Amino acid sequence: MAPEDFAFISGMLKQRSGLIIGPDKLYLLESRLSPLARRRGLPGLTELIAEMRKPSAEELRRDVTDAMTTNETSFFRDIKPFEEMRTFALPDLLAKRADRRQLRIWSAAASTGQEAYTLAMLFKEMGVRLDGWRLEIIGTDLSNEVLDKARAATYSQFEVQRGLPITLLVKYFEQDGEHWRLKQPIRSMVNFRQHNLLNGSSSLGTFDVIFCRNVLIYFDQETKRKVLEDLRKVLAPDGYLFLGGAETVLGITDKFRPLPDHRGVYAPA
């Protein structure tokens, strides 16, 4: 790839999504964007980038950004955060919110919805303990394409086999040919919206819990700081932030503090 083409596409991705693509990630550009080029009838990335440079190519630039920022996800991914939610954060918040009986949870960079729906199933499994509570789960992502799939809540056999206990599959899904669809009571617990983490989040309101897992690893240090400080503005003072296992706030911002006995869980400082 010509240096000027790489500079153009890497600069566009950073500006639009915060994603950092170094020269060592050329293979990622090739694997993610070659199918998009073929769908557009273009021979390769050089021609795709030439099309992207045109002033009228906003839809193509959006499609390229979507293709590069669609990340890996699964039900109950890295089970530990959901155990921390069930055994630590949620009981604490239920006690704190007993007067108003309302909780708002945000699944940021929700991709195709598995994390948000995992939280919905976790709450549903609590049964009568949450009777009379208003639970609002918001799932957001930069990509409208993955949000459409999240709203459809229909997953392949492979997708439901990854991390989802068979008891929950039978209880909360119905088979539709070769796919599985979440039943309406779980689907109705989650509201999906398009949202760019780089643009601030005040329009979403205040949350008691924010899951923002395996997102910061794609950003440079300054973008991580900006995103974390924006998250702090919309997290309740006694709420909780969940990050991925390879992520931390240490050395980035003093707006959060890690909770030593709860790996991956952070509280406002």
Side-chain angles (χ1 to χ4, degrees):
M1 182 181 293
E4 60 271 21
D5 284 346
F6 180 77
F8 172 80
I9 194 167
S10 61
M12 185 209 74
L13 289 168
K14 183 178 188 301
Q15 179 185 32
R16 285 173 170 252
S17 69
L19 182 65
I20 300 298
I21 298 289
D24 61 326
K25 293 292 194 297
L26 279 174
Y27 72 91
L28 191 59
L29 288 172
E30 192 75 41
S31 64
R32 294 281 183 92
L33 299 183
S34 290
L36 178 58
R38 288 194 294 271
R39 289 200 300 272
R40 294 270 178 161
L42 300 168
L45 294 193
T46 299
E47 293 77 13
L48 182 71
I49 293 169
E51 286 294 310
M52 288 169 59
R53 291 179 182 273
K54 295 179 179 179
S56 59
E58 174 59 27
E59 181 183 349
L60 177 58
R61 289 190 287 269
R62 186 170 59 247
D63 289 347
V64 166
T65 304
D66 282 0
M68 291 301 301
T69 55
T70 301
N71 297 314
E72 172 76 4
T73 188
S74 62
F75 291 103
F76 290 92
R77 183 181 181 186
D78 308 325
I79 187 68
K80 182 67 172 174
F82 300 104
E83 292 177 351
E84 290 285 1
M85 181 68 176
R86 181 177 60 83
T87 63
F88 166 64
L90 194 52
D92 179 64
L93 288 167
L94 291 180
K96 291 174 178 175
R97 305 290 188 267
D99 56 339
R100 72 172 193 244
R101 300 171 76 79
Q102 178 178 343
L103 289 174
R104 296 190 81 230
I105 295 92
W106 178 17
S107 171
S111 190
T112 46
Q114 285 95 320
E115 180 179 83
Y117 288 132
T118 295
L119 291 167
M121 286 185 279
L122 185 152
F123 296 150
K124 186 66 76 173
E125 284 294 287
M126 296 189 70
V128 296
R129 288 185 62 189
L130 290 176
D131 280 355
W133 284 73
R134 181 185 174 195
L135 301 173
E136 186 178 6
I137 304 171
I138 305 295
T140 68
D141 202 275
L142 180 63
S143 168
N144 279 306
E145 182 178 352
V146 297
L147 289 173
D148 286 344
K149 179 168 182 180
R151 293 185 185 103
T154 301
Y155 300 95
S156 68
Q157 185 71 38
F158 175 74
E159 288 171 316
V160 297
Q161 284 176 333
R162 300 180 64 208
L164 183 66
I166 186 66
T167 53
L168 298 187
L169 175 63
V170 171
K171 190 172 184 179
Y172 294 121
F173 288 76
E174 50 198 2
Q175 195 160 11
D176 181 11
E178 296 182 354
H179 291 78
W180 294 83
R181 190 173 194 225
L182 271 160
K183 295 178 180 177
Q184 180 60 29
I186 297 297
R187 297 203 311 272
S188 66
M189 293 174 68
V190 185
N191 179 23
F192 290 101
R193 305 181 193 176
Q194 195 276 340
H195 178 68
N196 189 335
L197 283 170
L198 302 189
N199 293 341
S201 304
S202 59
S203 62
L204 298 175
T206 302
F207 295 92
D208 301 291
V209 177
I210 298 174
F211 273 63
C212 188
R213 302 167 58 227
N214 307 304
V215 181
L216 299 180
I217 52 175
Y218 297 102
F219 298 159
D220 62 19
Q221 198 81 344
E222 178 56 26
T223 305
K224 290 177 184 178
R225 182 195 62 77
K226 179 181 183 298
V227 169
L228 283 168
E229 294 187 359
D230 281 340
L231 295 181
R232 173 62 189 90
K233 293 175 184 176
V234 296
L235 182 65
D238 56 355
Y240 295 104
L241 169 68
F242 285 74
L243 298 181
E247 297 168 326
T248 183
V249 302
L250 298 176
I252 302 172
T253 179
D254 60 1
K255 302 296 184 183
F256 289 97
R257 57 184 174 85
L259 301 179
D261 297 327
H262 304 282
R263 185 174 66 84
V265 188
Y266 299 82

